[in-house]
Amino acid sequence: MGTVVDAPAVVTEKEVVAENMLGDKKVTVVFVLGGPGSGKGTQCSNIVEHFGFTHLSAGDLLRAEIKSGSENGTMIENMIKEGKIVPSEVTIKLLQQAMIKNENDKFLIDGFPRNEENRAAFENTKISPAFVLFFNCSEEEMERRLLGRNEGRVDDNIETIRKRFKVFVESSLPVIEYYDAKDKVKKIDAAKPIPEVFEDVKAIFAPYAKAT
Ligand SMILES: *[C@@H]1O[C@H](CO)[C@@H](O)[C@H](O)[C@H]1NC(C)=O
Ligand SMILES: *[C@@H]1O[C@H](CO)[C@@H](O)[C@H](O)[C@H]1NC(C)=O
């Protein structure tokens, strides 16, 4: 049989980095996306409690870095003050450090990738998400929930809330579409009551159930 044996390909340093490895730890990453008021925070807590994931919020990590007063924290603070977008690399570095420091190997990454640039930059880490959990909720329902949280000051809130929706649609929907095309999006009808949403979440996470 004339099997053609390919000459061994030259392995570049980049290719040596195996898929989903972080140092010597193999990690499972789930991206969690959803608009403001979609209830993803509540469900993240449920997933942490029932399925043993560690919850990482990109926003929280950035705020913690600023609060630490480190050189990087000061840089991040200044960028935000100047209205600049914090480079994806900075956020990704914080996510990687948090995953390395944590003993767990299953992570929910909440509110990231926020846009296509974040998404593309994360691909350089060679960690690809197991799937993307998308809490889909109508703007009417999210608005109702957000307004219900803080009574009074309704008028200026509506304006702010709608701006946040717009940013979400413009920045994050393309990310969801990208992963949808790869069949990696698990869409949740987040307009339902919290316990019903959690039933749907449970069905998705069943394969990741904690060993007892
Ligand atoms: C500061 O940020 C740079 C660039 O993102 C990174 O290489 C470095 O490790 C960070 N330093 C600390 C102490 O986190
Ligand atoms: C969210 O759900 C609505 C109603 O089911 C649907 O029309 C819409 O396409 C969904 N949005 C996305 C981004 O999938």
Side-chain angles (χ1 to χ4, degrees):
M1 296 273 289
T3 313
V4 177
V5 179
D6 285 333
V10 177
V11 179
T12 67
E13 204 175 322
K14 236 183 170 174
E15 283 163 339
V16 171
V17 181
E19 188 91 348
N20 292 329
M21 292 300 287
L22 198 60
D24 50 13
K25 180 160 81 170
K26 189 172 170 70
V27 293
T28 300
V29 163
V30 173
F31 288 151
V32 183
L33 296 175
S38 63
K40 68 182 168 68
T42 304
Q43 298 300 337
C44 279
S45 306
N46 283 339
I47 298 163
V48 166
E49 190 182 328
H50 289 83
F51 297 100
F53 275 70
T54 292
H55 177 233
L56 296 177
S57 145
D60 286 351
L61 288 171
L62 286 167
R63 281 185 286 274
E65 186 71 20
I66 291 172
K67 227 177 148 193
S68 79
S70 72
E71 213 174 300
N72 280 352
T74 308
M75 183 197 73
I76 296 166
E77 188 173 25
N78 288 336
M79 296 190 89
I80 293 174
K81 264 192 206 145
E82 289 162 25
K84 288 184 195 155
I85 292 169
V86 178
S88 298
E89 285 68 24
V90 174
T91 311
I92 289 168
K93 192 99 189 181
L94 290 174
L95 286 167
Q96 283 178 308
Q97 284 172 349
M99 288 192 280
I100 288 168
K101 266 193 258 164
N102 200 296
E103 277 176 18
N104 204 347
D105 58 1
K106 298 187 288 186
F107 297 95
L108 293 177
I109 299 190
D110 178 3
F112 184 94
R114 198 165 282 282
N115 53 41
E116 277 286 278
E117 202 256 324
N118 278 173
R119 201 247 332 131
F122 194 85
E123 290 200 338
N124 293 330
T125 66
K126 297 279 175 249
I127 296 169
S128 56
F131 58 89
V132 178
L133 189 62
F134 171 43
F135 288 95
N136 186 15
C137 196
S138 70
E139 289 196 11
E140 293 73 28
E141 176 60 18
M142 290 194 283
E143 191 171 301
R144 199 182 62 75
R145 290 176 183 174
L146 292 171
L147 290 175
R149 273 184 206 168
N150 38 13
E151 287 144 45
R153 295 179 30 233
V154 165
D155 285 349
D156 64 355
N157 276 342
I158 286 185
E159 191 97 336
T160 322
I161 288 168
R162 291 196 176 148
K163 250 183 224 154
R164 287 166 70 198
F165 288 153
K166 191 160 177 282
V167 170
F168 176 75
V169 169
E170 286 174 359
S171 317
S172 301
L173 277 193
V175 175
I176 291 159
E177 281 159 11
Y178 172 88
Y179 286 114
D180 210 13
K182 291 177 172 276
D183 242 353
K184 276 202 162 188
V185 177
K186 301 209 188 276
K187 214 176 281 189
I188 299 256
D189 176 1
K192 296 198 281 192
I194 292 173
E196 286 178 40
V197 173
F198 186 48
E199 287 306 313
D200 295 345
V201 167
K202 269 199 264 188
I204 290 170
F205 279 85
Y208 298 92
K210 273 190 267 193
T212 44

